[in-house]
Amino acid sequence: MIIVLRPEATKAHADELLARIESLGLRPLYMPGTERVVLGAIGDERVLERLHLESHPMVETVTHILAPYKLVSREMHPHDTIVEVGPVAIGGARFAVIAGPCSVESAEQMRKSADAVKRGGAAALRGGAYKPRTSPYSFQGLGREGLQILREVADATGLPAVTEVVEVADVELVERYADAFQCGARNMQNFRLLKALGQSRKPVVLKRGMAARVEDLLLAAEYVLAEGNPNVILCERGIQTFETATRNTLDLNAIPLIKQKSHLPVIVDPSHGTGLRELVPAMAKASAAAGADGLLLEVHHAPDQALSDGRQSLYPDQFETLMRELEPFVRAAGKTLS
Amino acid sequence: MIIVLRPEATKAHADELLARIESLGLRPLYMPGTERVVLGAIGDERVLERLHLESHPMVETVTHILAPYKLVSREMHPHDTIVEVGPVAIGGARFAVIAGPCSVESAEQMRKSADAVKRGGAAALRGGAYKPRTSPYSFQGLGREGLQILREVADATGLPAVTEVVEVADVELVERYADAFQCGARNMQNFRLLKALGQSRKPVVLKRGMAARVEDLLLAAEYVLAEGNPNVILCERGIQTFETATRNTLDLNAIPLIKQKSHLPVIVDPSHGTGLRELVPAMAKASAAAGADGLLLEVHHAPDQALSDGRQSLYPDQFETLMRELEPFVRAAGKTLS
Amino acid sequence: MIIVLRPEATKAHADELLARIESLGLRPLYMPGTERVVLGAIGDERVLERLHLESHPMVETVTHILAPYKLVSREMHPHDTIVEVGPVAIGGARFAVIAGPCSVESAEQMRKSADAVKRGGAAALRGGAYKPRTSPYSFQGLGREGLQILREVADATGLPAVTEVVEVADVELVERYADAFQCGARNMQNFRLLKALGQSRKPVVLKRGMAARVEDLLLAAEYVLAEGNPNVILCERGIQTFETATRNTLDLNAIPLIKQKSHLPVIVDPSHGTGLRELVPAMAKASAAAGADGLLLEVHHAPDQALSDGRQSLYPDQFETLMRELEPFVRAAGKTLS
Amino acid sequence: MIIVLRPEATKAHADELLARIESLGLRPLYMPGTERVVLGAIGDERVLERLHLESHPMVETVTHILAPYKLVSREMHPHDTIVEVGPVAIGGARFAVIAGPCSVESAEQMRKSADAVKRGGAAALRGGAYKPRTSPYSFQGLGREGLQILREVADATGLPAVTEVVEVADVELVERYADAFQCGARNMQNFRLLKALGQSRKPVVLKRGMAARVEDLLLAAEYVLAEGNPNVILCERGIQTFETATRNTLDLNAIPLIKQKSHLPVIVDPSHGTGLRELVPAMAKASAAAGADGLLLEVHHAPDQALSDGRQSLYPDQFETLMRELEPFVRAAGKTLS
């Protein structure tokens, strides 16, 4: 921690602060400059937090020099983590495509959509039973009935099932039906939900919030790991920017950045990341090339009938074409598609 | 709803879409242009949603022409709504300042801070018992004990108490101790929590999310009103932008914009909106001038000891000075400070 | 300057860097920590730039501890600067309103608009002869003829004239006709233009770029001052964010922030800052309350006929009403309106 | 153009507007709805601009239904445009890598850097003689001397040269020395410069501004084409967002989006797009996979000595490795690297 003092700070102010730093067992440093004094504090960050130096009237800025996350950091754990979603290993040599409709709408819709993604070569099936929607007048999901449909269809096709959980009270129920939880962008900083998911051992696909820095995403994952669940898959799904031609701005910079900072697997959702099905294939390929471990994709048997996100869902034949075209990019990135 | 078709759409495509529009009891419109065809659909929006026209392969864009929120809109309810927080009316002639520390840390800290805000002329007391924090290693709040301290101190000073609720399971408990709920920026789209708050009749201070458009905020409020609770106070607290000199960018444009679109009262949190106590007084005055109905302010008896947000908390004497300086601005805006 | 080394950096790397720092006449500091080494370099920043330490393979981050701007900083010049635009002093006790149409369209339009702003109590007249427009098919301004019209109308009404310059080659011509240059948001980092304006002694109204941090704005002003022209008036006009309900997000945080960092006067353009004339009055008042030294306002004698920015231009009677309502806010802020 | 009227608009208002639409030779449409009236105007957009309907007091919103750019649009020109930079065709089957240092610093530095990029397989050489820098105290480029060095080194290595032009007055000089102009992000809306470049026939690499939507970029290109120069290469180089871990957020969504909207070639600058050399290889591959026609890359013979952008410049051996690793991605995208 680097503490820059205000110009008017005296030697006595510096001494008082250095004494506070030392009193916590940290190593204090005194660096007087030509215009102002800089102090340092070296040691365990959790202790440093208690100092609240940024609130001191003589302190101008405080800079942390170490990553604020621990368990998710690559410094702590140099090798890539592999997370098992049912029989599918995510984070290793396989590039895993999790595909399916945005929402579970009916048994028939799920069967048709699941057949399509299975035929195309998906590794896992997605489908939401609880839908966080901006408007209270939009379709909100089938709830428990949706979970049952998802499970039956997943079993019938032999694909593991990933589905969203939006509330602590639902964690137990969702865990019973799903092979992996999805924690959505709007809940990335729902810290109670993160803690509840940390008490499970089922994998968590944690989506980056629309206004979250990569560091915020890693700290959100730290909540889950700190509770004891090491099975987190990070997911880049686009951030909120001024560009209005696309629903979100897919931040693929985040892929190599996360790979550098963390050992956790990371996948990309180009459906939400673009909001336009015409852009999904290009961005799926770009994700593989950027080093992602897989994709989360919206595929619907009839997107123009979909109750949510139809505009960004692929038609079955578009999905099959994409999977075929994706293969050489995945291979060039040193992974296999199936 | 205005539907622009792709250039390749034929008359048959247009007819099919017009038939679907009409089949739902809406008024279809056909507007052929020089380069492409435009369709219209006039009628109740909730029915329009079921068409999912944006997913149709021959549809290029769909534009809604009416506000998607209903109960919160000024069109539905032309007069300003007044919300009562204990004995304090928010949204009428009084400019209400809700002040106190970020977190309840101890009985002594709350007593000292509450005395300070009471002395300065605050209308209500704030203090968080449940703290959503970016890092799992930061102070997370005192929970139930914090609620008890807040209630005792509020009763002792005669100020109503506002406190954050972060989880559906806590709503009942928080309701027992607080005069108004605060729903934080990170939970603005926690729709389950919004629905649970909609089943209470206690007021809800709903803070705008960091990546939320004003329309998203109004739709979030619509969730609460749609469940039957009309007592929502909107709160602008800064949005996420590229500017790094301040913690957030306080969007005061939102104040006159919300006043135009909605009948709900709106307050401003310049503490989070700037992140720097030196900027708080100027932005508090600007909020009053922009037409806000009050402020949410962080004041701590000793900010350099605070367990959270010390950098943006006012010292007691700064708060007193601010309240004195604020008065002519409030008066010029046609309201009274106490 | 604070230099954090990578974990793999050795003592030899640190010594090499310390020697480079010392070789430039700076004071080197060595601060070994538990996980990595931190170095410091204290002294003149312009020398520090030559080190390019951020490019060294063993350097993780470099943090500047002092403001990168010099002549514009309040540390260098503690008292407020007053800039004279013709007979009008900006930055002192007077709150100066510069008003007029976006573009000079004709002699008649300028006369009518100038009469309106004069009647309302404006201190200076604005009007653009060179218009930077997003589309090549939009009205681009009248050029030299526009400058002549502006000058004649300004002389007739007795108001000084402010007008935009978009190109080095036009500086001399614009200087002949205008009492102050306006450098627009899109040209805030047109460094050649800034240098050319720095060689004039006429005042420059420098508008913040849509993607510019406050620090970038101050560095842009530094270009002008470094060439010898001390007469810069900074102008906040809204930044680019994800909010689409308003044309820009007016960042009033910037007002107290700039006042803290710099001695230069700062005004606000709520017309561009909102893009909607209904929001302009509220934001004009908020600007005065936040501590601004004046406003740049679009007023047109007939906004629905305007060739540019009609949607955000005030009608003459709206301007008169605003000036009347603004007065108590200006007074509360310790200034006078005329 | 779709015009939604305010609720209070009467039939007479609608009739007045319809008459104005018709008076310009456009086709007016009248669409009364349950809550408000919607009007349409079908015809040539350049005429529509003159209506300024968005400024009318009874008009709530105006929506354009057709792209505002013409010459750059794919609707106007369905086939991909190929631009020749010296002997290198950009936009066709070849994936062209333009590489070199940020700035021309000396003849020796350019020779060493050019040798490195030639050896690695670059198609063209870059290097800036005029540098737009945020601070007036940073290195500003060698000017004419830099252009001479660039030309000599380009001729010696047999690579065409691309270099930035920042000012109308320099266009002629730069044209004499360069095979293609670069128009930087800060000048993307320097419309005078765009027009001057439009009067040349040399290619223009037009970089997207930090706050520019894709539509703004296409309109900027329209300025160049409208003056008669069809040789524009668009360049995505990252946009300004709230993420601070990277210098910019590279928006690869823009690649397939531009390909859909425009016939112009598009390349990517992952050096500025990330700001960190460790992330450049991954994003270079992702750019190829997303469908880009090439790259603009910073490579320096000794980045830790660079006078600008050293942190994001590749070392020569990193560049060679990248080119080798890039090849299968380029091939999978249906192009060749050399």
Side-chain angles (χ1 to χ4, degrees):
Chain A
M1 206 181 245
I2 300 297
I3 304 114
V4 180
L5 301 191
R6 292 180 174 275
E8 62 268 32
T10 62
K11 182 68 168 58
H13 290 123
D15 286 344
E16 178 218 325
L17 286 163
L18 291 167
R20 283 173 68 182
I21 291 166
E22 199 160 23
S23 74
L24 289 173
L26 300 167
R27 207 151 126 257
L29 287 162
Y30 178 62
M31 306 171 262
T34 52
E35 298 193 34
R36 56 191 80 185
V37 167
V38 178
L39 308 181
I42 308 293
D44 175 46
E45 282 206 311
R46 292 176 64 172
V47 174
L48 288 168
E49 286 288 328
R50 279 161 41 202
L51 285 174
H52 302 293
L53 293 173
E54 70 282 0
S55 307
H56 191 282
M58 286 299 128
V59 169
E60 181 150 315
T61 59
V62 171
T63 309
H64 291 269
I65 55 169
L66 301 172
Y69 38 82
K70 305 291 171 197
L71 302 172
V72 307
S73 82
R74 200 173 273 283
E75 289 181 84
M76 294 282 288
H77 184 303
H79 299 297
D80 287 350
T81 284
I82 294 177
V83 175
E84 317 254 332
V85 176
V88 179
I90 297 185
R94 182 176 183 175
F95 185 85
V97 177
I98 305 169
C102 176
S103 306
V104 178
E105 299 166 11
S106 70
E108 191 199 344
Q109 168 253 13
M110 273 312 289
R111 264 197 308 273
K112 287 185 174 168
S113 297
D115 286 351
V117 305
K118 170 84 175 180
R119 203 163 51 240
L125 180 65
R126 59 160 290 163
Y130 299 97
K131 301 303 307 170
R133 301 301 297 277
T134 303
S135 164
Y137 307 123
S138 301
F139 173 63
Q140 309 269 322
L142 296 182
R144 180 192 291 259
E145 187 199 339
L147 292 175
Q148 290 166 339
I149 292 173
L150 176 67
R151 186 70 265 160
E152 284 166 21
V153 172
D155 288 344
T157 52
L159 294 173
V162 179
T163 198
E164 185 159 0
V165 60
V166 297
E167 165 54 38
V168 171
D170 298 340
V171 170
E172 208 182 305
L173 183 71
V174 173
E175 186 168 21
R176 216 179 308 150
Y177 288 101
D179 296 292
F181 297 104
Q182 180 181 310
C183 178
R186 287 182 181 77
N187 279 312
M188 192 204 86
Q189 293 191 318
N190 183 337
F191 301 115
R192 285 291 193 84
L193 182 59
L194 295 177
K195 285 181 183 177
L197 295 173
Q199 277 151 22
S200 172
R201 287 302 167 271
K202 283 228 168 141
V204 179
V205 175
L206 179 62
K207 300 186 85 173
R208 181 180 180 185
M210 278 162 270
R213 297 192 181 90
V214 164
E215 182 174 304
D216 298 324
L217 173 61
L218 294 175
L219 280 164
E222 186 85 7
Y223 266 93
V224 182
L225 271 73
E227 293 289 322
N229 185 352
N231 300 308
V232 173
I233 299 162
L234 303 171
C235 181
E236 162 62 32
R237 49 76 73 202
I239 58 174
Q240 182 82 285
T241 72
F242 59 81
E243 177 59 78
T244 51
T246 48
R247 182 173 177 178
N248 292 286
T249 296
L250 195 64
D251 178 15
L252 291 185
N253 279 352
I255 306 305
L257 185 66
I258 291 172
K259 286 288 175 191
Q260 185 185 54
K261 304 282 184 197
S262 176
H263 54 88
L264 294 174
V266 56
I267 64 176
V268 178
D269 173 354
S271 305
H272 284 86
T274 63
L276 298 167
R277 77 168 71 85
E278 307 90 283
L279 307 191
V280 167
M283 299 314 285
K285 295 166 191 171
S287 301
D293 295 301
L295 297 172
L296 193 64
L297 274 182
E298 290 190 352
V299 179
H300 192 286
H301 76 99
D304 56 345
Q305 311 285 335
L307 297 183
S308 58
D309 284 353
R311 186 65 187 83
Q312 70 196 33
S313 297
L314 295 175
Y315 283 84
D317 58 338
Q318 291 176 320
F319 178 65
E320 285 190 54
T321 304
L322 168 57
M323 290 296 278
R324 213 161 41 236
E325 291 179 3
L326 191 58
E327 199 277 333
F329 293 97
V330 168
R331 191 156 25 89
K335 292 186 181 267
T336 55
L337 195 51
S338 59
Chain B
M1 206 181 244
I2 300 297
I3 304 114
V4 180
L5 301 191
R6 291 180 173 276
E8 62 266 31
T10 62
K11 183 70 169 56
H13 289 123
D15 286 344
E16 177 217 326
L17 287 162
L18 292 167
R20 284 173 67 182
I21 290 166
E22 200 161 22
S23 73
L24 289 174
L26 301 167
R27 203 149 129 260
L29 288 162
Y30 179 61
M31 306 170 262
T34 52
E35 298 192 36
R36 58 192 79 186
V37 167
V38 178
L39 307 181
I42 308 292
D44 174 46
E45 282 206 312
R46 292 176 64 173
V47 174
L48 288 167
E49 286 289 327
R50 278 159 43 202
L51 286 173
H52 303 292
L53 293 171
E54 70 283 358
S55 309
H56 191 283
M58 285 299 129
V59 170
E60 181 150 312
T61 58
V62 171
T63 309
H64 292 268
I65 55 169
L66 300 172
Y69 38 83
K70 304 291 169 197
L71 302 172
V72 307
S73 82
R74 199 173 273 283
E75 289 180 84
M76 295 282 288
H77 184 304
H79 299 296
D80 287 350
T81 285
I82 294 177
V83 175
E84 317 254 332
V85 175
V88 179
I90 298 185
R94 182 177 185 176
F95 185 84
V97 177
I98 305 169
C102 176
S103 307
V104 178
E105 299 166 10
S106 70
E108 191 200 344
Q109 168 254 11
M110 273 313 289
R111 264 197 307 272
K112 288 185 174 169
S113 297
D115 286 350
V117 305
K118 169 83 175 181
R119 203 163 50 238
L125 179 66
R126 59 160 290 164
Y130 299 96
K131 301 303 307 170
R133 302 300 298 277
T134 304
S135 163
Y137 307 124
S138 300
F139 173 64
Q140 308 268 322
L142 296 182
R144 181 191 288 259
E145 188 199 339
L147 293 175
Q148 290 166 338
I149 293 173
L150 176 67
R151 187 69 264 160
E152 284 167 20
V153 172
D155 288 344
T157 51
L159 295 173
V162 179
T163 198
E164 184 158 1
V165 60
V166 296
E167 165 55 37
V168 172
D170 299 341
V171 169
E172 208 183 305
L173 183 70
V174 172
E175 186 168 20
R176 214 179 309 150
Y177 288 101
D179 296 292
F181 298 104
Q182 180 181 309
C183 179
R186 288 182 181 77
N187 279 312
M188 191 203 85
Q189 292 192 318
N190 183 338
F191 301 114
R192 286 289 194 84
L193 182 59
L194 295 176
K195 286 181 183 177
L197 295 173
Q199 278 152 21
S200 173
R201 288 302 167 272
K202 284 229 169 140
V204 179
V205 175
L206 178 61
K207 301 185 85 173
R208 181 180 181 185
M210 278 163 270
R213 297 191 181 91
V214 164
E215 182 175 305
D216 299 325
L217 173 61
L218 294 175
L219 281 164
E222 186 85 6
Y223 266 94
V224 181
L225 271 72
E227 293 289 322
N229 186 352
N231 300 307
V232 173
I233 298 162
L234 303 171
C235 180
E236 162 63 32
R237 47 76 73 202
I239 57 174
Q240 182 82 285
T241 72
F242 59 81
E243 177 59 77
T244 52
T246 48
R247 183 173 175 179
N248 292 286
T249 296
L250 195 64
D251 177 15
L252 291 185
N253 280 352
I255 306 305
L257 185 65
I258 291 172
K259 286 287 175 192
Q260 186 185 55
K261 305 281 185 197
S262 176
H263 54 87
L264 294 174
V266 55
I267 63 174
V268 177
D269 173 354
S271 305
H272 285 86
T274 63
L276 298 167
R277 78 167 70 85
E278 306 90 282
L279 307 190
V280 167
M283 299 314 285
K285 295 166 190 171
S287 301
D293 295 302
L295 298 172
L296 193 64
L297 274 182
E298 291 190 351
V299 179
H300 193 287
H301 77 99
D304 57 345
Q305 311 286 335
L307 296 184
S308 58
D309 285 351
R311 186 67 187 82
Q312 71 195 33
S313 297
L314 296 175
Y315 283 84
D317 58 337
Q318 291 177 320
F319 178 64
E320 285 190 52
T321 304
L322 168 56
M323 291 295 278
R324 214 163 38 237
E325 292 179 2
L326 191 58
E327 199 277 333
F329 294 97
V330 168
R331 191 155 25 89
K335 292 186 180 267
T336 54
L337 195 50
S338 58
Chain C
M1 205 181 243
I2 300 298
I3 304 114
V4 180
L5 302 190
R6 291 180 174 277
E8 62 267 33
T10 62
K11 183 67 169 58
H13 290 121
D15 285 345
E16 178 218 326
L17 287 162
L18 291 167
R20 286 174 65 182
I21 291 166
E22 201 160 20
S23 73
L24 289 173
L26 301 167
R27 203 146 131 262
L29 288 163
Y30 179 62
M31 307 170 260
T34 52
E35 297 192 36
R36 58 191 79 185
V37 166
V38 178
L39 307 181
I42 307 293
D44 175 46
E45 281 204 313
R46 291 175 65 171
V47 175
L48 288 168
E49 286 289 328
R50 280 160 41 203
L51 286 174
H52 302 292
L53 293 172
E54 69 284 358
S55 308
H56 191 284
M58 285 298 130
V59 169
E60 181 151 314
T61 60
V62 171
T63 309
H64 292 269
I65 56 170
L66 300 172
Y69 38 82
K70 305 289 169 200
L71 302 172
V72 308
S73 83
R74 200 173 272 284
E75 287 181 84
M76 293 282 288
H77 184 303
H79 299 297
D80 287 350
T81 284
I82 293 178
V83 175
E84 317 256 330
V85 175
V88 179
I90 298 185
R94 182 176 184 175
F95 185 84
V97 177
I98 305 168
C102 176
S103 307
V104 178
E105 299 166 12
S106 70
E108 192 201 343
Q109 168 252 12
M110 272 313 288
R111 265 196 306 272
K112 287 186 175 169
S113 297
D115 286 350
V117 305
K118 170 84 174 179
R119 204 165 48 240
L125 179 65
R126 60 160 290 161
Y130 299 97
K131 300 304 306 170
R133 302 300 299 276
T134 304
S135 164
Y137 307 124
S138 300
F139 174 64
Q140 309 268 322
L142 297 183
R144 181 191 290 257
E145 187 199 339
L147 293 175
Q148 290 165 339
I149 294 173
L150 176 67
R151 184 71 265 160
E152 285 166 21
V153 173
D155 288 343
T157 51
L159 294 174
V162 180
T163 197
E164 185 158 1
V165 60
V166 298
E167 165 54 36
V168 171
D170 299 341
V171 169
E172 209 183 302
L173 183 71
V174 173
E175 186 168 21
R176 214 177 312 149
Y177 288 101
D179 296 292
F181 298 104
Q182 181 181 309
C183 179
R186 288 181 181 78
N187 279 312
M188 192 202 85
Q189 293 191 318
N190 183 337
F191 300 115
R192 285 289 193 86
L193 183 58
L194 296 176
K195 285 181 184 176
L197 295 173
Q199 277 152 22
S200 172
R201 289 300 168 270
K202 284 230 168 138
V204 179
V205 175
L206 179 61
K207 299 186 84 172
R208 181 180 182 184
M210 278 163 271
R213 297 192 181 91
V214 164
E215 183 175 304
D216 298 325
L217 173 61
L218 294 175
L219 281 164
E222 186 84 7
Y223 266 92
V224 182
L225 272 73
E227 293 289 323
N229 186 351
N231 300 308
V232 174
I233 299 163
L234 303 171
C235 180
E236 163 62 31
R237 48 77 73 205
I239 57 173
Q240 180 83 284
T241 72
F242 59 81
E243 177 59 77
T244 51
T246 48
R247 182 173 176 179
N248 291 286
T249 296
L250 194 65
D251 177 15
L252 291 185
N253 279 353
I255 306 306
L257 185 65
I258 290 172
K259 286 287 175 191
Q260 186 184 55
K261 304 281 183 197
S262 177
H263 54 88
L264 294 174
V266 55
I267 64 175
V268 178
D269 174 353
S271 305
H272 285 87
T274 63
L276 298 167
R277 79 168 69 86
E278 307 91 281
L279 307 191
V280 167
M283 299 314 284
K285 296 166 191 171
S287 301
D293 295 301
L295 297 173
L296 193 64
L297 273 182
E298 291 190 350
V299 179
H300 192 287
H301 76 99
D304 56 345
Q305 311 285 336
L307 296 183
S308 58
D309 284 354
R311 185 67 187 82
Q312 70 197 31
S313 297
L314 295 176
Y315 283 84
D317 59 337
Q318 290 177 322
F319 178 63
E320 285 189 53
T321 305
L322 168 57
M323 290 296 279
R324 214 164 36 239
E325 291 180 2
L326 192 58
E327 199 276 334
F329 294 97
V330 168
R331 190 155 26 90
K335 293 186 180 268
T336 55
L337 195 50
S338 58
Chain D
M1 206 182 245
I2 300 298
I3 304 113
V4 181
L5 302 190
R6 291 181 175 275
E8 63 266 33
T10 62
K11 182 69 170 53
H13 290 122
D15 285 345
E16 178 218 325
L17 287 163
L18 291 168
R20 285 173 67 181
I21 290 166
E22 201 160 18
S23 72
L24 290 172
L26 301 167
R27 199 143 135 265
L29 288 162
Y30 178 62
M31 305 170 262
T34 52
E35 298 192 33
R36 59 189 80 185
V37 167
V38 178
L39 308 181
I42 308 292
D44 175 46
E45 281 205 313
R46 291 176 64 171
V47 174
L48 288 168
E49 285 289 327
R50 281 162 38 204
L51 285 173
H52 302 292
L53 294 172
E54 68 285 358
S55 309
H56 192 283
M58 285 299 128
V59 169
E60 181 151 316
T61 60
V62 171
T63 308
H64 292 268
I65 57 170
L66 300 173
Y69 37 82
K70 306 290 170 199
L71 302 172
V72 308
S73 82
R74 199 173 273 284
E75 287 181 85
M76 294 282 288
H77 184 305
H79 299 296
D80 287 350
T81 284
I82 294 179
V83 175
E84 315 255 332
V85 176
V88 179
I90 298 186
R94 182 176 183 176
F95 185 85
V97 177
I98 305 168
C102 176
S103 307
V104 178
E105 299 166 11
S106 70
E108 191 199 345
Q109 169 252 13
M110 273 313 289
R111 266 197 305 274
K112 287 185 175 169
S113 296
D115 286 350
V117 305
K118 169 85 174 179
R119 202 161 52 237
L125 179 66
R126 59 159 290 162
Y130 299 96
K131 301 303 306 170
R133 302 301 298 278
T134 304
S135 164
Y137 307 124
S138 300
F139 174 63
Q140 308 268 324
L142 296 183
R144 181 191 290 258
E145 186 199 340
L147 293 175
Q148 290 166 337
I149 293 173
L150 176 67
R151 185 70 265 161
E152 285 167 20
V153 172
D155 287 344
T157 51
L159 295 174
V162 180
T163 198
E164 185 158 0
V165 59
V166 298
E167 166 54 36
V168 172
D170 298 342
V171 169
E172 209 184 304
L173 183 71
V174 172
E175 187 168 20
R176 213 178 311 149
Y177 288 102
D179 296 291
F181 297 104
Q182 180 181 309
C183 178
R186 287 181 181 78
N187 279 311
M188 191 203 85
Q189 293 191 318
N190 183 337
F191 301 115
R192 285 288 194 87
L193 183 59
L194 296 176
K195 286 181 184 177
L197 294 173
Q199 278 151 22
S200 173
R201 289 301 168 270
K202 284 229 168 140
V204 179
V205 176
L206 179 61
K207 301 185 84 172
R208 180 180 182 185
M210 277 164 270
R213 296 193 182 90
V214 164
E215 183 176 302
D216 299 324
L217 173 61
L218 294 175
L219 281 164
E222 186 84 6
Y223 266 93
V224 182
L225 271 74
E227 293 289 323
N229 185 352
N231 301 308
V232 173
I233 299 162
L234 304 171
C235 181
E236 161 62 31
R237 48 75 75 203
I239 57 173
Q240 182 82 285
T241 72
F242 60 81
E243 177 59 78
T244 51
T246 49
R247 182 173 175 179
N248 291 286
T249 296
L250 195 65
D251 177 15
L252 291 185
N253 280 352
I255 306 306
L257 185 65
I258 291 172
K259 287 286 175 192
Q260 187 184 56
K261 305 280 184 199
S262 177
H263 54 88
L264 294 174
V266 56
I267 64 175
V268 178
D269 173 354
S271 305
H272 285 86
T274 63
L276 298 168
R277 79 168 68 85
E278 308 90 283
L279 307 191
V280 167
M283 298 314 285
K285 296 167 190 171
S287 301
D293 295 301
L295 298 172
L296 193 64
L297 272 182
E298 290 191 350
V299 179
H300 193 287
H301 76 99
D304 55 345
Q305 310 285 335
L307 296 184
S308 58
D309 284 352
R311 186 66 186 82
Q312 70 196 31
S313 298
L314 295 176
Y315 283 84
D317 59 338
Q318 290 177 321
F319 178 64
E320 285 190 52
T321 304
L322 168 56
M323 290 295 279
R324 212 161 41 236
E325 291 179 2
L326 191 58
E327 199 277 334
F329 293 97
V330 169
R331 190 155 25 89
K335 292 184 181 269
T336 55
L337 195 50
S338 58

